[in-house]
Amino acid sequence: MGTLAGYSSNLRQELVFNAMNITAIKQGCVRLKNPDACRTILFLPDLWMLIEQLLRKEHEPGFYNVGSISLTIGELASRVASVWDVPVIYEGTSETYSFTLDCGKMQAVCGENKASISLEERCRDFIFSYNSKEAT
């Protein structure tokens, strides 16, 4: 399963996408460690889309790798920083894992809807939801 990302009422601020966006807004930078490590990120709306499709129609049984996008942490940091026009602060490397997933089965179930939202739009949607909740 991909690393979860996105806003929810039970927000996990430490998850890489969430943390980068929150730090960009609150601290004016994106902190980057392990730029060459790969991650598959799963956005919560895409997870919901998959679950809904699996419940509504009959599909091939078995295991599904689920993820919305695969990229390096460095690429993610660069793109998030670009959205918010903030610098990337490189903080070195540490022992970590690296993975990408083949999410072809998920794509076959969800179709093109899953890929229609850009990473940059997901950043803006996340912060809009985050700021709306913080204001209440």
Side-chain angles (χ1 to χ4, degrees):
M1 183 175 223
T3 301
L4 278 175
Y7 186 80
S8 76
S9 58
N10 188 24
L11 182 64
R12 299 265 317 266
Q13 294 188 26
E14 76 279 8
L15 299 177
V16 68
F17 173 86
N18 299 354
M20 286 183 179
N21 280 281
I22 291 168
T23 302
I25 295 303
K26 287 189 168 188
Q27 298 177 12
C29 66
V30 171
R31 301 191 179 282
L32 171 62
K33 234 181 186 175
N34 304 311
D36 297 324
C38 295
R39 292 289 187 279
T40 296
I41 296 177
L42 173 61
F43 293 102
L44 290 171
D46 291 345
L47 175 59
W48 169 244
M49 183 184 306
L50 174 65
I51 291 169
E52 185 177 44
Q53 290 298 318
L54 290 172
L55 291 173
R56 288 180 183 231
K57 299 177 185 170
E58 201 167 312
H59 294 281
E60 180 182 338
F63 291 98
Y64 283 73
N65 288 331
V66 293
S68 305
I69 187 171
S70 293
L71 67 175
T72 66
I73 295 174
E75 182 182 359
L76 176 63
S78 176
R79 291 178 67 182
V80 170
S82 178
V83 169
W84 305 117
D85 195 25
V86 299
V88 174
I89 308 297
Y90 177 66
E91 297 184 337
T93 58
S94 63
E95 203 170 303
T96 190
Y97 58 93
S98 186
F99 71 91
T100 59
L101 300 172
D102 174 1
C103 299
K105 248 173 119 172
M106 178 183 179
Q107 185 65 43
V109 170
C110 294
E112 292 303 314
N113 294 329
K114 184 182 74 61
S116 64
I117 302 171
S118 72
L119 178 65
E120 291 73 15
E121 188 176 346
R122 290 182 191 269
C123 291
R124 289 187 287 274
D125 289 348
F126 173 78
I127 288 300
F128 176 81
S129 297
Y130 177 80
N131 284 339
S132 295
K133 180 63 176 177
E134 290 290 303
T136 60

